[in-house]
Structures are given as structure tokens and as C-alpha cells.
Amino acid sequence: MLVGIVALVAASLTTASTASAAASLPCDIYGAAGTACVAAHSTTRALYGTYNGPLYQVQRARDGAKTDIGLLAVGGYANAAAQDSFCAGTTCLITEIYDQSPRHNDLTIEGPGGAGGQDTGVPADALPVTAGGHQVYGASFSGRMGYRDNTTTGVAKNGQPEGMYMITSGTHVNGACCFDYGNAETNNQDTGNGHMDALNFGTECWFQPCHGAGPWVQADLENGLFQSSAGGSQNTANTGITAPFVTALLKNNGQNFFALKDGNAQSGGLRTTYSGPEPTAAGYSPMHQEGAIVLGTGGDNSNGSIGSFFEGVMTAGLPTDAADNAVQANVVSVGYGGPTGSTGTLNPGSEISVRATTACCTSDYLRHRNNNTVITPVSSTLDKSDATWIVRKGLADASCVSFESRNYPGDFLRHFDFQVYRQPMDGSAAFRADATFCPVAGKNGQGSSFRSYNYSGKYLRHYNNTVYIADTSGAHAWDAAGSYNDDVSWVIAQPWAP
């Protein structure tokens, strides 16, 4: 799927904000409220204030070696530099996500199931983000990727109460089944209604009606994604949530009640989208959970979905609304997607905007958009966000650069059939090459020009307000020689939406 056609637009400056983490972390909050965490998974940070163990394990392609990625400090953030060092010159997959709770319900790569074959791990570098002012990595799922633990301890079974939340993204979703986190079957098969109790996030509408276009926080209770006891939505205001970082929450007493909540993980509180009886169909009241934990797929390994995962927990017992609200406040304090602390350069981690130098267009900036509607010169908040990029080490060559979207975490500038798009990184060698650009001095004497890594004679060029990789061969309209040196020269500017 091609998304985010890249074009030019004018914009105006905004200012940055900062955020810092709170001392009492999600599992401390839930524990103090009498609903202890029985699972606590994250690739970005500690979920207990006293945790100082590993967060996840990576394996590199070059020699198959593995290493654990831990924390910068007790109760702190992931040591992404350790991953970068270990994976330098090769690629890595995340092979295990450790449970920070005393239960040690660690997630390993999922095996085949009733609806999907053997999964793979996610590429370790596909989702760089800022959290707590540090660069960390989320887990970006591109389909046929999943993790599971079928031999857990402490997780709810046979109608016991539980709660769960995850931090995900509203900009990296699809309508395939099933991007889940939560309680699933222990044999990777569909064993019947009520045998799952998992969060689902995506645009699949299993039961009508669904309002808006989603994505929605839903409950995967097996054989259905539920927005209410009737299946379909009973809340016309719930049209989904498309924020770059989303808090998704489900709690279920296992007998006669479940609730769904969502929220912007960068600001504000939680919204309850449903609170009421269990589904009316047979098998759901009481529930029949089996106690496995799944991440990224359905209970029977339905593995066609895409999604993002930054952190999530599961509790023993039904959490209070007050505890949920306190956890949301802590999540917001993390500052997911906040400023990197560097601006205006081509150094990795710097936030930039990219200005054209052709005489016609010196107030126009590289900006992504989602369809073929005309982009006007009017500067909007959306334009400013879409025209801001984060410089990353080249996905195919660390001596070059890649450009990550500021408001679509994990999406990069990538050429396909010579046109440039914004797309989620899937970890493939083709994507890595297509999304890598090598800066040289600007061909018109201004700024920089960006040579395609895998088409060494072609450079990023704007042509008729669309961006391509181009040369002067005349093979396509965008390969015209006229104004070429100007069109491929760009000034690296301060970001419009840091």
C-alpha cells in the first residue's frame, strides 16, 4: 500500500514543548490500587520505578548473536545506544520482549496457529521515537509478525477479572485481523467464544454499526471484535482515534461487565467508549479465558494486521477508574514523540524542515499528504506537522540518512517506481535501500542534494509540486534537464513543528 505522497507546501513556525517522566510508574500505580501487574512489557521504558532488568532481546542478522537491551537507569528508559552499537553494520530483529513483573511472562516469537503460519520478530530499528527526552525504539508490526507466551502464571482464567492497556499508534493501522495485546488461548487455536480477552486496535469493523473510519479500541473476546455487548458500537461519538500515540484500555470482570477506553497518549485524559454488560451471545458471560498472552496477532495467530507497540500491562483484578486515570497521566508525562533535543542539521536525531531553492518555490517545504488533492500555499497546523522530519541514520547505510515523519512515527520517506512516498518501515532490504539518501553539496551551490542510495545517479527532486528521484536523462517528465540543479538542491531549516 502506497501512502503519503510527498509534495511541497508553505508553512509558518511553531515552538517546542518538553515533558518528563513521573516517579510512580504504571505498575506501581496499579499495585497500590490492589490490582498488581501480572505482565508488563515495553521496548521503551521501565514500568516499575524499581525495575532495572532487560526490556527486550535482539538478534543480529550477520552472525545470529543475541543481546539484551536494558535501561539507562533504574526505573528509566531503554538504552537504545546499546542496540545501535550491537546492530551496527547489519540488521536486528526483536526476538523476545521481557515481562518486568515478578511473573516473568516473557513474550517470544509466535509459532504457527489455526489461522497463520510461523511469525517473525519485528525489525529492531523500524520505529525510532523520543520518550522521556531519549531516543528509544517501539515495535513496528508489518503483518506475519507476532509474540506469545502460552505458559504464563497469574494471568486471568475462566472468568477471573483483569485489566490491560497498551500504547500504540493511530497512524499505523489496517483492517486485517488482528492487532491484539492481551489474554488468549494456550494452543494458538480458536477454542470458542469467550476464550480470549484482549485489546484490539485497528480499522476492522467486525459487527455493524461502526461509526466513523476508526481505528477503534475494541475487545477481542474471540469470534468477534466487540465495541459493546451487542457487538457493534452503541456510541455514535466513537469514530475512532487517529493520534500518533494512543492509549488503548480494556477491563473485564469476567462475569457480567467489560469496559473500553481510549486516549491521546501525548495529552489529556481517557474517554470511556463503552461500559456495560458482557456480550449477549453464548459463551461470553461468564468468560472462559485461558491465560496465554499474545501481541500482534489474534488468538489463533490471525496475523494480517499491522500496528505499533510501545508498552502494555495486564493486571490481576479489575482496575479502578482512578488507577486508570493515574496511569494515563503517567503515560502523558513520558512525552512520547516529544522533541529530540536537536534541530536544523543533518545529524541523526535532528528535527528539520526541508526547503526548496528553485526561484519559484523558495518558501515551499517537503511535505507528505495522503491523497491527490491539491496542496495550497496556506499554512495549517497539519501542514507544519507534515513538513517536519527527523533525521535518522540511513536504514541501508549509516553514512547516509533516512527521514522519519514527525507525526507518523515509524514512517519514512521512500521512493517507489521513482515517486517519493511516506510509508511505514517494514524491515525489508528493499525498503531500507529505497528510504536511504546520501547528502552531498547542493548542485546549485545552496544547501544539500540527496542522492538515492540504490539509484546512484538520481537525486530527490521536486517537479510540479511532487517529489521524485530523478536524473537529467529525459526518460520521464521529472527527468527533464531544465532547472534540475535548482530542483534537487534543498536547504535544511529549523523544524516547523518540533
Side-chain angles (χ1 to χ4, degrees), residues 177-244:
C177 187
C178 290
F179 189 70
D180 288 354
Y181 174 66
N183 196 323
E185 295 93 342
T186 57
N187 62 358
N188 295 26
Q189 304 291 324
D190 177 352
T191 55
N193 293 357
H195 284 247
M196 289 187 67
D197 184 26
L199 274 165
N200 174 267
F201 192 67
T203 58
E204 181 176 14
C205 179
W206 194 294
F207 297 111
Q208 293 291 343
C210 295
H211 304 294
W216 305 278
V217 176
Q218 303 181 89
D220 188 345
L221 307 180
E222 194 52 280
N223 298 318
L225 303 179
F226 291 83
Q227 294 191 43
S228 73
S229 60
S233 177
Q234 298 174 342
N235 181 354
T236 58
N238 181 20
T239 57
I241 181 168
T242 58

Side-chain angles (χ1 to χ4, degrees), residues 90-467:
T90 185
T91 59
C92 283
L93 295 179
I94 295 177
T95 48
E96 189 164 0
I97 303 174
Y98 296 111
D99 176 18
Q100 300 175 32
S101 87
R103 298 289 182 170
H104 300 293
N105 293 320
D106 305 327
L107 299 175
T108 56
I109 296 172
E110 187 169 1
Q118 174 66 47
D119 290 312
T120 65
V122 303
D125 61 342
L127 188 49
V129 297
T130 300
H134 302 280
Q135 181 187 308
V136 295
Y137 291 100
S140 180
F141 293 74
S142 299
R144 294 179 297 281
M145 298 176 182
Y147 298 85
R148 199 175 189 117
D149 184 353
N150 284 340
T151 57
T152 66
T153 63
V155 179
K157 296 180 180 180
N158 294 319
Q160 293 177 322
E162 63 182 338
M164 63 202 74
Y165 84 86
M166 68 172 168
I167 307 304
T168 182
S169 176
T171 64
H172 182 211
V173 296
N174 68 1
C177 187
C178 290
F179 189 70
D180 288 354
Y181 174 66
N183 196 323
E185 295 93 342
T186 57
N187 62 358
N188 295 26
Q189 304 291 324
D190 177 352
T191 55
N193 293 357
H195 284 247
M196 289 187 67
D197 184 26
L199 274 165
N200 174 267
F201 192 67
T203 58
E204 181 176 14
C205 179
W206 194 294
F207 297 111
Q208 293 291 343
C210 295
H211 304 294
W216 305 278
V217 176
Q218 303 181 89
D220 188 345
L221 307 180
E222 194 52 280
N223 298 318
L225 303 179
F226 291 83
Q227 294 191 43
S228 73
S229 60
S233 177
Q234 298 174 342
N235 181 354
T236 58
N238 181 20
T239 57
I241 181 168
T242 58
F245 299 90
V246 171
T247 304
L249 187 147
L250 163 65
K251 55 187 181 181
N252 194 326
N253 74 357
Q255 300 296 312
N256 54 18
F257 168 85
F258 79 104
L260 296 164
K261 301 181 183 182
D262 65 21
N264 185 332
Q266 293 176 305
S267 64
L270 295 171
R271 171 183 66 161
T272 299
T273 59
Y274 174 77
S275 179
E278 301 278 19
T280 54
Y284 297 105
S285 181
M287 295 286 290
H288 305 283
Q289 313 103 303
E290 297 185 24
I293 302 174
V294 70
L295 172 60
T297 75
D300 57 0
N301 194 24
S302 300
N303 58 6
S305 58
I306 66 175
S308 302
F309 180 84
F310 302 96
E311 64 179 74
V313 312
M314 299 173 66
T315 68
L318 188 74
T320 65
D321 289 338
D324 294 339
N325 292 338
V327 167
Q328 168 67 358
N330 173 259
V331 168
V332 169
S333 78
V334 168
Y336 274 113
T340 64
S342 174
T343 62
T345 74
L346 285 174
N347 295 326
S350 180
E351 295 177 282
I352 62 171
S353 289
V354 183
R355 182 175 64 81
T357 64
T358 310
C360 66
C361 314
T362 55
S363 59
D364 286 355
Y365 290 81
L366 199 65
R367 186 251 201 209
H368 63 78
R369 54 192 170 98
N370 293 331
N371 52 49
N372 290 314
T373 57
V374 174
I375 295 181
T376 71
V378 177
S379 297
S380 67
T381 299
L382 179 60
D383 289 336
K384 296 169 194 174
S385 296
D386 288 353
T388 299
W389 307 90
I390 305 172
V391 181
R392 302 297 186 188
K393 290 186 297 185
L395 293 172
D397 184 339
S399 67
C400 300
V401 297
S402 295
F403 298 103
E404 184 187 14
S405 168
R406 178 68 172 77
N407 59 339
Y408 282 74
D411 281 20
F412 290 81
L413 282 183
R414 183 257 180 108
H415 68 79
F416 183 87
D417 203 17
F418 306 116
Q419 189 169 344
V420 176
Y421 299 87
R422 185 213 78 233
Q423 285 188 320
M425 209 279 260
D426 61 12
S428 68
F431 188 102
R432 291 179 182 276
D434 291 350
T436 299
F437 304 93
C438 302
V440 300
K443 287 186 173 291
N444 70 352
Q446 301 181 63
S448 300
S449 294
F450 297 96
R451 177 177 58 82
S452 167
Y453 172 78
N454 53 350
Y455 287 84
S456 60
K458 295 182 182 291
Y459 291 79
L460 279 180
R461 180 188 192 176
H462 65 87
Y463 184 85
N464 283 349
N465 290 324
T466 301
V467 181

Side-chain angles (χ1 to χ4, degrees), residues 457-496:
K458 295 182 182 291
Y459 291 79
L460 279 180
R461 180 188 192 176
H462 65 87
Y463 184 85
N464 283 349
N465 290 324
T466 301
V467 181
Y468 303 88
I469 56 167
D471 54 30
T472 57
S473 66
H476 307 94
W478 56 85
D479 292 319
S483 74
Y484 179 81
N485 285 349
D486 289 333
D487 293 351
V488 299
S489 298
W490 308 84
V491 168
I492 302 305
Q494 290 295 312
W496 295 121

